[in-house]
Amino acid sequence: MPAPSVIIDLDIIAENTRRVADTLKPQGIGMFGVTKAACGSPLVARAMLRGGVFGLADSRLDNVRRLRHAGISAPIMMLRIPSVTEAPDVVRHCDLSLNSEAAVLDALAEAAQEQGVVHDVILMLEMGDRREGVSPEDLIPLAQTAMAEPSLRLAGIGANFMCASGVLPTVEKLERLARLADDVEQRFGTRLDYVSGGNSANLALMETEGVKMPARINNLRIGSTILRGENSFTGGTLPGYDDGAFTLEAELVEMKTKQSLPDGETGPDAFGNRLTFKDRGARLRGIVNLGRVDIRPEGLKARHRNIEIVTASSDHLIVDITEAKKFAVGDPIRFEMDYGALVQAMLSPYIEKHLAGRENIAPRPSAIRLIADASVHDLEETRQFLLGATALGFEIKRDGAPEPADLPLWIIPGRNGIHELIATADVEAVESGLLWMDSDPGDIGAVVTPEAAALLGIRTATREQAAIIGERDIVAFTMEDVDLVGIREATRRAIKRVTETTDGFALVLHASVARGMDADPREAGLSYRECSTVMERVAASEELRAIVLAGLGAEPDPAALESAYGYLLSALGKRILA
Ligand SMILES: *Cc1c(COP(=O)(O)O)cnc(C)c1O
């Protein structure tokens, strides 16, 4: 695993979510899963949805867009009170938002009216934490503003605790919130959908002190308990929850015995802080390839016993390993992160993100399942290809539905229905990447996980296709790009993209992309060598899970089919000298 990386265990996220749901459901409380500490990662969001959240909540529009572009259609709540200028985008991407200002409600109403929708608002009450919200006396006038706007729906009221000032939620405060909900309902003769009582701190109150939420509280917004198993009161872990969903892994790059005191006159460090150190004599110290640029070192704790964090500069994290087990330069060092460090690590472009335990989720395929027209099955070229696949150790199956250890190979005439085919190969809880080799981006809008998709070999694209590629942030290498960076580098980046946060990927190989498969050899983009290089890298990744061979027409030309089979055998791991 390249370091530094954040290793994300989606199973733990889903399991922690289930646990929260088990606590809340009997009390009639629903929850929104808060994705902001994971920067709106669609993978994390889907794990939360699998675990039973009703909707998702985030504080940043960029994160919400990321969720929407990944095709997530669950309700999304905007947590941070919107600014006037972003009101149109909040209405466009979010189903509901938390609010405290009449001017913002006006802006939301205007935007909703323009977009022809009704936007749900929750009004926030200030209950001591001194962050967002109106005082109880100002609630009715604000509710009046919301009620007066036909394009807004007053969906509820809410409060937030333990954020700006660390003020704890209490039953007394929550009862006050419940009474205010009654007041609003009586005053306006409406029914509020949400009385949103707070965040993970409320859950800590319930789980550690056995406190029941007042009956009217029917919603919480939960982030840190799901992501970190955190007890918000103590910073520790709540009993029964797993704190291992995110691990920061970096590498030991220096190990030397050094004096614990600096030598020489001292001024401020690189960040303007004046530090004092304790004289502990000579200590065995390590340097880990992380720094303040990536991470807040105060928010890290080593997952190994007896490693102490001493200090950090922009790029060097200094640890004391005198009392730890024996390490060597090059060893991975693992850290847990607090909420702040987690966001920062998720944001850092220098830190890769990987999924943990994928080998447990998606087994390596042991069989090739050829799904094609009967005439293709009968061809001599097909027989030869299947013999080649058998020699590589694959069992051969024909047609029918793909089973978990199968690598399905569909041969289809054109581009129609590719996304649907790939979807049938996906097992629940498996995130698939998509490496699409084609001269034309096809139905690119239907890509399910754009963050794990890459296009290679594009020669033409319509304006619409180009816009979708840009908007959904899909990695695309045109033939021009391939000429510029070279096929090896383009392939490396593409495969990185489709494997980094997935349990393997599907390969779409369209006849128009490479020499030999295409009817008109002058048209094809990639040369025989270039396409073979891609296939060899695909094999080396060991993450190929499905193949769609497309564009050979209803009755494939045997020579074109033979070329395509040759490429596919390379992708399955055939070597010249094997
Ligand atoms: C961040 C946030 C939450 C989630 O808090 P956790 O402690 O992570 O559960 C809930 N509500 C609002 C308004 C937030 O900003």
Side-chain angles (χ1 to χ4, degrees), residues 372-388:
D373 202 73
S375 63
V376 172
H377 280 283
D378 295 341
L379 289 172
E380 175 58 19
E381 287 76 13
T382 301
R383 207 180 66 84
Q384 288 299 331
F385 165 70
L386 293 175
L387 278 177

Side-chain angles (χ1 to χ4, degrees), residues 233-438:
F233 289 178
T234 63
T237 305
L238 279 175
Y241 287 86
D242 194 326
D243 67 355
F246 296 87
T247 298
L248 178 62
E249 188 173 301
E251 204 172 306
L252 201 55
V253 292
E254 185 192 288
M255 246 177 73
K256 296 192 190 306
T257 301
K258 295 186 187 181
Q259 286 297 324
S260 44
L261 281 188
D263 180 17
E265 294 233 352
T266 58
D269 72 4
F271 286 80
N273 305 310
R274 284 183 181 275
L275 303 177
T276 49
F277 296 95
K278 221 168 86 191
D279 187 2
R280 303 171 74 188
R283 307 286 294 176
L284 181 59
R285 305 200 348 166
I287 297 182
V288 178
N289 60 348
L290 284 170
R292 285 190 188 272
V293 166
D294 316 289
I295 199 86
R296 208 171 52 88
E298 295 75 21
L300 296 185
K301 215 174 101 195
R303 286 207 192 270
H304 314 262
R305 260 196 296 170
N306 297 332
I307 291 192
E308 285 169 52
I309 294 167
V310 180
T311 183
S313 66
S314 358
D315 308 294
H316 302 77
L317 178 72
I318 298 164
V319 291
D320 187 319
I321 51 175
T322 316
E323 262 116 68
K325 72 171 179 124
K326 247 173 116 73
F327 283 101
V329 167
D331 278 351
I333 309 283
R334 296 186 190 89
F335 301 91
E336 65 172 86
M337 298 166 278
D338 71 7
Y339 211 65
L342 172 60
V343 192
Q344 214 188 335
M346 290 300 287
L347 269 175
S348 174
Y350 305 114
I351 297 181
E352 297 200 352
K353 322 294 182 283
H354 291 275
L355 291 189
R358 71 179 91 172
E359 57 279 6
N360 302 333
I361 304 171
R364 281 206 71 193
S366 56
I368 304 280
R369 183 181 288 273
L370 175 64
I371 305 170
D373 202 73
S375 63
V376 172
H377 280 283
D378 295 341
L379 289 172
E380 175 58 19
E381 287 76 13
T382 301
R383 207 180 66 84
Q384 288 299 331
F385 165 70
L386 293 175
L387 278 177
T390 310
L392 290 170
F394 290 99
E395 191 191 330
I396 304 300
K397 298 178 181 173
R398 289 174 192 265
D399 296 331
E403 289 163 23
D406 290 352
L407 191 161
L409 162 57
W410 288 279
I411 301 183
I412 60 171
R415 288 190 182 86
N416 279 345
I418 291 178
H419 296 285
E420 290 79 0
L421 290 180
I422 294 171
T424 65
D426 278 349
V427 201
E428 205 218 342
V430 168
E431 301 289 342
S432 282
L434 176 60
L435 178 59
W436 190 301
M437 297 179 62
D438 201 335

Side-chain angles (χ1 to χ4, degrees), residues 32-37 57-59 77-81 98 124 131-132 159-163 196 198-203 220-227 230 232 339:
F32 280 80
V34 176
T35 49
K36 67 188 180 198
D58 206 290
S59 54
M77 173 195 281
M78 173 48 64
L79 287 174
R80 182 165 70 170
I81 47 172
L98 306 182
M124 293 301 277
R131 208 177 79 171
E132 77 277 47
N160 201 43
F161 299 96
M162 290 201 80
C163 272
S196 189
N199 52 33
S200 293
N202 298 55
L203 199 65
L220 293 176
R221 311 168 306 267
I222 304 292
S224 63
T225 308
I226 293 175
L227 300 177
E230 187 176 64
S232 306
Y339 211 65

Side-chain angles (χ1 to χ4, degrees), residues 133-150:
V134 290
S135 59
E137 310 81 78
D138 295 330
L139 175 62
I140 296 292
L142 192 65
Q144 205 131 34
T145 307
M147 292 295 296
E149 297 285 2

